[in-house]
Amino acid sequence: MNVWFKKKNIKMKKIIANIITKSNKIDFDFNYNKCKSMEEIDISLPTFIIGYENAKKFIRDFDILKKSYPEQNIWWTFLKTEKRVDYDNDIKNFNDIIIKKIIEKVKYQLCDIITMDKNDKKKLWDFILSDNKKVIYNDFNKFLFIYDKENNVVLGLSLSTCRFCGVDTKSLCEKIFSISSNKEIIDFNIIPTVVKKNIQTDVHNLLALYEYFE
């Protein structure tokens, strides 16, 4: 229970992928970095190439039967005018790949204050009430989900259990949300339904995806 107690800053990153294309509009669920060539891409992001000629030009050891090159962090599809069915399917598949890439990095940790020892419990309260940047969702005053993006960890804290143990959860929540560096999420309505379906609406995954739809 030590990794998420580190004091680090959260750097918000809303663009999720590079897309090499000449099209004005693409049916993609996330914000993306539109590029004309590999020279313009952000190398830290996965790249999706649209168009057979572009794919042949920019992908090493290109094979028309192979749509993904994870070792190069590249995926591709035909232009809509070349193969419409492939275009639609491949964009959907890339959306799914992007979602998986985000949420598979996020670990969920339940904080059971009944079984935690005194030292870990103190660290937990210190972290929750610290100035570390956190994204927090209060689930109907039953559960707090606290996302430490820098360490890709979502902490789950049962407010019902806290009340059982004598914690004034109203005062606790007021203190948490009065900290200017904390960000409270009211709901997840901005995340498209199709995306929610892909992740089965698990709250810790929704927290990890939220910033990409703000």
Side-chain angles (χ1 to χ4, degrees):
M1 292 189 61
N2 295 321
V3 61
W4 42 267
F5 291 123
K6 297 177 182 177
K7 186 177 178 69
K8 294 184 179 180
N9 292 324
I10 298 175
K11 295 181 179 179
M12 306 301 282
K13 192 182 290 186
K14 295 182 180 180
I15 292 177
I16 203 168
N18 307 296
I19 297 186
I20 297 180
T21 181
K22 294 180 181 178
S23 301
N24 292 325
K25 185 173 173 21
I26 304 163
D27 300 321
F28 191 57
D29 289 337
F30 299 90
N31 291 329
Y32 55 87
N33 180 30
K34 183 180 176 183
C35 309
K36 293 181 180 178
S37 70
M38 294 294 286
E39 284 71 29
E40 299 176 15
I41 70 168
D42 179 340
I43 60 173
S44 68
L45 301 175
T47 297
F48 189 64
I49 300 174
I50 298 178
Y52 170 70
E53 291 300 326
N54 275 341
K56 191 168 59 171
K57 179 179 179 181
F58 296 126
I59 299 175
R60 296 192 309 272
D61 302 319
F62 176 72
D63 181 347
I64 194 172
L65 299 177
K66 185 179 177 183
K67 291 294 185 66
S68 63
Y69 297 79
E71 71 283 356
Q72 299 179 51
N73 211 14
I74 293 175
W75 288 257
W76 79 278
T77 189
F78 292 100
L79 291 169
K80 189 183 293 188
T81 54
E82 292 173 330
K83 286 191 177 182
R84 177 61 186 262
V85 173
D86 279 40
Y87 173 88
D88 290 339
N89 289 337
D90 292 338
I91 285 185
K92 180 185 181 303
N93 289 338
F94 187 63
N95 268 293
D96 293 345
I97 288 167
I98 290 298
I99 291 171
K100 184 178 179 182
K101 276 181 171 289
I102 295 171
I103 66 176
E104 70 183 1
K105 295 178 183 178
V106 179
K107 297 179 181 178
Y108 174 69
Q109 183 168 334
L110 175 64
C111 298
D112 185 351
I113 65 169
I114 292 178
T115 59
M116 291 171 69
D117 63 35
K118 184 177 180 180
N119 187 50
D120 279 341
K121 199 179 298 184
K122 182 180 184 304
K123 288 180 180 179
L124 173 64
W125 299 135
D126 287 347
F127 174 76
I128 289 176
L129 297 173
S130 73
D131 290 332
N132 291 54
K133 291 184 179 180
K134 300 176 286 291
V135 181
I136 305 170
Y137 175 66
N138 184 344
D139 190 10
F140 298 101
N141 288 317
K142 294 179 180 178
F143 233 87
L144 276 186
F145 293 90
I146 305 166
Y147 179 29
D148 175 7
K149 180 178 178 295
E150 185 67 24
N151 293 300
N152 288 315
V153 175
V154 174
L155 307 179
L157 177 66
S158 169
L159 293 176
S160 300
T161 300
C162 288
R163 285 189 285 270
F164 176 78
C165 293
V167 177
D168 183 345
T169 55
K170 182 179 179 182
S171 175
L172 176 65
C173 290
E174 287 175 353
K175 288 179 182 178
I176 289 172
F177 293 119
S178 69
I179 299 171
S180 59
S181 56
N182 287 342
K183 179 174 183 177
E184 181 180 9
I185 303 301
I186 304 300
D187 57 50
F188 299 101
N189 292 336
I190 64 172
I191 301 179
T193 301
V194 65
V195 173
K196 291 178 182 177
K197 286 181 178 177
N198 280 352
I199 60 173
Q200 301 176 344
T201 64
D202 290 335
V203 172
H204 55 283
N205 291 333
L206 290 172
L207 278 174
L209 290 170
Y210 189 89
E211 65 179 303
Y212 296 100
F213 297 96
E214 291 182 292

